[in-house]
Amino acid sequence: MNFIMFNIVPKADCAAKVLNHSANVFHEALRLKESYYHVVTEDGGEYDIAYVKNNDLVPENYRNAKKGIDIYPSYFHYDENDVTTLDLSLLKEFRATFFFDLNEYSVAIARLALKYTDNEVYFINPMAQLFFAENERLHIVEKFPMIDESEVLQITDEKFTTGYFEGTFRKISSVPAFHSLFFWQSLTNLNLADIIYVEVPIAKNVGVGGILSYYANAEEFFSTKGWQIYLKENSTRYDDEMLRRYFRINKKPKEATPKNTIFLEDITTLVMTYFYSKIQAEIDENALSDKFRAEMDEYAEVVLGNHNTLGILIRGTDYIVSKMGGVRQQATVSDMLPKIREWLDADGYDLIFLATEDQDILERMRKEFGSMIRVISQVRHSVKDFGNARLLSELEKKESENDAGILEDTTVNYFYALYLLSKCQSFMVSGKCHGESVVKSFNHGKFKRFYRFQVGVKG
């Protein structure tokens, strides 16, 4: 049974098991494992509840990217009363919570808000009163009051507003909101006190910058529980030994067993939480092997020297082909040119160090800025090269099937580019990406200027 939650739906004339309404009606429905129920209240009222499936809520492009793995876990069992396994940080950011819909998850979220925070809770569905004891902070209203938007958590009735993709968790659908509160309970059936290790997989479509970013964030994420992480064997598109040759990444400890280890199916389940959004792990020099770091320092001195350099990271290719939106939508060269020229005039940069995997972007930038452009020598692609491939990782896999050295060279060159960007005086990036995180972490806040374009974010 693959479902997200129970929705309250109009009474239908169909055969279904009948439940008596109670505060625990959703848990009773979960226990009985049916997909549809009629519910009868004490005063003779009736309503129905029905499962909503994951694939009905998650857009097709995201489902395809995860290749059958659910973005959000199915919560067959959860405990609103076990505060030790809840993360209440999302609720505690606000002083009021507005619920635009009434369903299993909005009821659970509202109960937590009423029990563990000082939030004022507002529903516009009058049926909400059925699910709560009287509380002076619970309000059933016809329209929501005027409150400073920054102080309100809006649990919207929109289908798939995640918080993560939109770049803010102030407005979020009930499923992602519920997951942000209950995710610890979804990770394992083991007692959390028995956990020592977490096996972290990183998908094969993630580049080396993303691997380091995900790994560092997961390390900080789980350190809050005192747990140690290691990279799942053969989970990335890179050879494990190759990764450890350049970077400090743990392999599976001999002591890790099913009795003391969480085995994550996909790191996305962490990434989509509010808690993860607050993690800003530093990928500092400790992430590099000593030899690799020394080689890059020497190269940076040769390429950048004493130049006053503007570093620019422009992602293209698979970001264009896969039609990424929201904070992941990348600015084009045309979008960026006014800001680039503004900075050149203001600060007198005499060199632009450009990092891009896109040949078309490189040619356009050279046309605009000529000999000012410096780049790492590497294999680059154009959108027309992709054919049936949707992601850069898929294209690179095809190109390197008969020569693992090609992928290693591409990886090392990419990381050289990020490292040199971190040595520039200022840094500009076309949109949110893992490369940005790596560059900023290595720079340690020393950039004179930093700017990230957000062409896919409204307002």
Side-chain angles (χ1 to χ4, degrees):
M1 183 165 49
N2 175 29
F3 69 95
I4 291 278
M5 62 178 173
F6 278 111
N7 264 342
I8 296 172
V9 296
K11 181 75 171 62
D13 185 16
C14 62
K17 188 181 291 292
V18 178
L19 299 177
N20 292 318
H21 174 79
S22 72
N24 292 316
V25 66
F26 296 121
H27 287 289
E28 177 68 6
L30 289 169
R31 185 182 67 80
L32 295 174
K33 298 181 179 179
E34 299 286 341
S35 62
Y36 196 96
Y37 300 89
H38 301 309
V39 184
V40 179
T41 65
E42 276 190 4
D43 62 3
E46 294 179 298
Y47 63 91
D48 289 0
I49 57 177
Y51 287 134
V52 179
K53 294 182 179 179
N54 278 334
N55 286 348
D56 291 339
L57 293 173
V58 179
E60 184 179 3
N61 57 325
Y62 298 132
R63 295 201 306 269
N64 291 341
K66 301 318 296 179
K67 300 184 186 303
I69 297 175
D70 289 344
I71 288 180
Y72 296 103
S74 296
Y75 285 89
F76 294 99
H77 308 283
Y78 59 91
D79 187 351
E80 303 102 309
N81 299 310
D82 186 3
V83 70
T84 64
T85 60
L86 296 171
D87 181 72
L88 302 172
S89 56
L90 175 61
L91 294 176
K92 290 181 177 180
E93 278 289 306
F94 304 93
R95 71 178 185 91
T97 309
F98 293 173
F99 291 91
F100 288 75
D101 198 8
L102 181 65
N103 55 53
E104 176 193 355
Y105 286 0
S106 62
V107 168
I109 295 165
R111 285 176 177 164
L112 295 182
L114 292 169
K115 186 173 183 178
Y116 296 112
T117 78
D118 296 326
N119 282 11
E120 301 292 323
V121 172
Y122 296 85
F123 281 90
I124 55 175
N125 188 328
M127 285 183 64
Q129 191 62 61
L130 287 171
F131 296 90
F132 303 93
E134 285 192 19
N135 189 303
E136 63 181 10
R137 291 187 290 113
L138 174 66
H139 312 280
I140 313 298
V141 296
E142 291 186 2
K143 68 177 185 177
F144 294 117
M146 298 294 293
I147 300 176
D148 183 345
E149 189 177 83
S150 66
E151 297 184 331
V152 178
L153 173 62
Q154 300 180 51
I155 309 298
T156 178
D157 56 357
E158 294 175 1
K159 197 172 183 181
F160 191 68
T161 303
T162 67
Y164 171 75
F165 289 113
E166 295 76 18
T168 174
F169 281 74
R170 286 202 302 266
K171 182 179 181 182
I172 183 173
S173 301
S174 54
V175 173
F178 180 93
H179 179 58
S180 278
L181 299 172
F182 286 88
F183 67 87
W184 291 116
Q185 296 185 12
S186 73
L187 297 180
T188 181
N189 292 324
L190 298 174
N191 188 321
L192 297 189
D194 296 330
I195 301 300
I196 300 174
Y197 303 105
V198 182
E199 180 180 89
V200 176
I202 299 178
K204 294 187 184 299
N205 64 349
V206 177
V208 67
I211 291 173
L212 293 180
S213 181
Y214 280 138
Y215 188 86
N217 283 342
E219 198 165 42
E220 185 168 325
F221 188 101
F222 289 114
S223 71
T224 62
K225 294 289 187 184
W227 302 339
Q228 302 172 44
I229 74 164
Y230 63 89
L231 183 65
K232 181 180 179 180
E233 294 177 356
N234 302 315
S235 64
T236 76
R237 72 177 188 257
Y238 305 96
D239 177 77
D240 290 349
E241 289 302 316
M242 186 211 86
L243 286 175
R244 284 192 283 272
R245 189 154 56 244
Y246 298 104
F247 312 110
R248 300 184 190 275
I249 294 177
N250 296 332
K251 63 179 177 181
K252 183 177 181 179
K254 293 179 180 178
E255 300 79 13
T257 72
K259 293 183 178 180
N260 63 14
T261 304
I262 291 175
F263 300 94
L264 289 182
E265 185 178 21
D266 189 275
I267 199 170
T268 308
T269 195
L270 308 182
V271 173
M272 301 300 282
T273 64
Y274 176 76
F275 185 77
Y276 187 94
S277 76
K278 297 301 180 182
I279 298 291
Q280 297 293 331
E282 278 282 304
I283 309 173
D284 61 16
E285 292 76 5
N286 291 323
L288 304 174
S289 70
D290 293 340
K291 183 175 183 292
F292 190 37
R293 180 186 172 190
E295 290 171 351
M296 289 195 296
D297 279 333
E298 182 178 351
Y299 189 78
E301 179 62 30
V302 171
V303 174
L304 303 181
N306 294 320
H307 288 284
N308 184 20
T309 308
L310 170 59
I312 301 178
L313 172 58
I314 309 180
R315 297 303 311 271
T317 58
D318 55 343
Y319 278 79
I320 298 170
V321 173
S322 59
K323 299 179 181 178
M324 293 188 186
V327 294
R328 294 279 173 177
Q329 183 175 331
Q330 304 295 305
T332 65
V333 174
S334 295
D335 294 325
M336 299 176 70
L337 282 175
K339 180 68 70 175
I340 294 171
R341 292 200 169 99
E342 175 189 330
W343 284 16
L344 291 176
D345 292 340
D347 297 337
Y349 300 106
D350 63 321
L351 195 70
I352 295 174
F353 180 76
L354 173 66
T356 185
E357 80 288 2
D358 192 305
Q359 183 63 30
D360 296 331
I361 288 172
L362 174 57
E363 290 175 4
R364 175 72 189 282
M365 287 290 285
R366 278 180 168 160
K367 180 179 178 182
E368 297 290 339
F369 299 105
S371 61
M372 285 187 71
I373 298 293
R374 294 281 177 86
V375 295
I376 296 287
S377 177
Q378 67 182 81
V379 175
R380 291 182 172 85
H381 301 282
S382 299
V383 169
K384 63 179 181 292
D385 298 332
F386 274 64
N388 293 327
R390 196 175 58 86
L391 299 176
L392 185 59
S393 58
E394 296 171 2
L395 183 59
E396 288 179 345
K397 181 180 178 182
K398 290 179 181 178
E399 293 178 341
S400 62
E401 281 177 346
N402 299 319
D403 188 351
I406 293 176
L407 184 57
E408 181 169 351
D409 288 345
T410 301
T411 301
V412 171
N413 287 341
Y414 168 69
F415 208 81
Y416 263 80
L418 297 184
Y419 194 75
L420 264 66
L421 284 171
S422 76
K423 300 296 183 182
C424 296
Q425 278 65 48
S426 293
F427 175 46
M428 185 183 297
V429 60
S430 56
K432 189 173 180 62
C433 62
H434 295 300
E436 175 204 333
S437 302
V438 175
V439 171
K440 290 171 67 178
S441 294
F442 274 110
N443 180 260
H444 298 290
K446 297 176 183 177
F447 286 126
K448 178 179 180 178
R449 297 177 187 263
F450 165 73
Y451 188 82
R452 180 211 301 145
F453 288 82
Q454 299 188 88
V455 296
V457 178
K458 297 179 180 179

